[in-house]
Amino acid sequence: RKEVEQDPGPFNVPEGATVAFNCTYSNSASQSFFWYRQDCRKEPKLLMSVYSSGNEDGRFTAQLNRASQYISLLIRDSKLSDSATYLCVVTLNSGGYQKVTFGIGTKLQVIP
Amino acid sequence: DVKVTQSSRYLVKRTGEKVFLECVQDMDHENMFWYRQDPGLGLRLIYFSYDVKMKEKGDIPEGYSVSREKKERFSLILESASTNQTSMYLCASSFHRGYTFGSGTRLTVV
């Protein structure tokens, strides 16, 4: 089983739609969780951290389900500019270092 | 904002050449990382460093080495470039939570 798994998509959604991505992780001791956004041919950029209580930033909501070992990202009222690849990131303290694992990313295409 | 600068955006090198990829960060971060990103495989960690002159192997270190002589600079070295090292290379810097990436170097080995 991969350490971090994401559906690569693509998810094609119309403007204004609500779309949700999930990301599962295999190690129950994982500690920190993030969503990154990567535009085509650009570097990944931090979108938001994911907290146990869930967190919201405008149209974006991130949630963590430790019991089922997944994190989710919900985008409401999708915009054309939301088209990108969304990477989930999971960290784990291992051997005195912080091991960071990236998912392969979920591609979102918002269609006019 | 933290800035992570990679020296080249695009590089084309010949098989067998020694290749240097440079990365500089301007926020005095201790932690620096080199990843490569390939379609369907995502980001894979090559090497990382938590301090000057310190280096640790990541998940795919074979064929690569690194150098960290100064805190702000982390170099990735391809000792003898091969075609399977054609990829996007991303450097990152971090402090506590979250990474800042450089804009990437797209390396093609011919």
Side-chain angles (χ1 to χ4, degrees):
Chain A
R1 184 182 172 186
K2 286 184 180 177
E3 292 179 63
V4 177
E5 291 203 64
Q6 287 185 260
D7 182 341
F11 284 55
N12 297 314
V13 302
E15 266 186 294
T18 295
V19 62
F21 312 131
N22 281 347
C23 167
T24 60
Y25 59 95
S26 61
N27 194 321
S28 60
S30 298
Q31 291 154 308
S32 301
F33 308 87
F34 306 89
W35 283 103
Y36 276 71
R37 172 193 169 123
Q38 186 172 23
D39 293 299
C40 187
R41 296 188 173 275
K42 297 285 183 79
E43 73 274 21
K45 292 185 179 177
L46 179 64
L47 178 66
M48 57 199 304
S49 302
V50 187
Y51 303 116
S52 298
S53 54
N55 48 303
E56 190 173 308
D57 182 3
R59 298 181 292 108
F60 297 81
T61 301
Q63 291 191 311
L64 166 63
N65 185 316
R66 282 197 182 272
S68 300
Q69 294 181 206
Y70 73 88
I71 64 172
S72 64
L73 178 68
L74 181 80
I75 305 174
R76 290 180 296 278
D77 188 23
S78 300
K79 311 290 184 192
L80 295 177
S81 58
D82 294 334
S83 297
T85 297
Y86 293 84
L87 307 172
C88 78
V89 179
V90 175
T91 73
L92 171 71
N93 280 352
S94 174
Y97 299 113
Q98 187 181 66
K99 180 178 169 63
V100 180
T101 305
F102 286 79
I104 63 168
T106 297
K107 186 171 182 178
L108 171 66
Q109 186 70 46
V110 181
I111 303 163
Chain B
D1 281 348
V2 177
K3 191 166 182 184
V4 179
T5 303
Q6 292 184 231
S7 52
S8 303
R9 194 67 195 270
Y10 299 95
L11 273 180
V12 179
K13 296 292 182 181
R14 295 195 179 277
T15 302
E17 275 193 78
K18 190 168 186 176
V19 181
F20 293 86
L21 302 183
E22 304 288 345
C23 176
V24 177
Q25 51 97 359
D26 65 0
M27 282 298 290
D28 203 36
H29 285 181
E30 292 179 344
N31 309 332
M32 296 187 75
F33 308 82
W34 274 105
Y35 286 87
R36 63 178 284 177
Q37 187 175 29
D38 301 286
L41 297 175
L43 279 130
R44 293 180 290 167
L45 181 63
I46 304 171
Y47 267 96
F48 62 99
S49 170
Y50 280 6
D51 204 348
V52 175
K53 296 193 186 293
M54 176 274 182
K55 59 185 178 183
E56 289 288 336
K57 293 180 180 179
D59 299 320
I60 51 163
E62 296 78 21
Y64 303 94
S65 62
V66 290
S67 172
R68 188 136 183 230
E69 295 296 318
K70 293 184 178 181
K71 194 172 187 179
E72 66 271 18
R73 187 180 296 271
F74 191 36
S75 304
L76 180 70
I77 304 153
L78 285 66
E79 298 292 342
S80 176
S82 63
T83 55
N84 63 12
Q85 292 179 309
T86 291
S87 185
M88 168 71 95
Y89 289 87
L90 288 156
C91 174
S93 166
S94 78
F95 180 70
H96 291 320
R97 296 174 73 85
Y99 279 11
T100 299
F101 284 90
S103 55
T105 297
R106 189 166 293 277
L107 172 67
T108 302
V109 182
V110 297

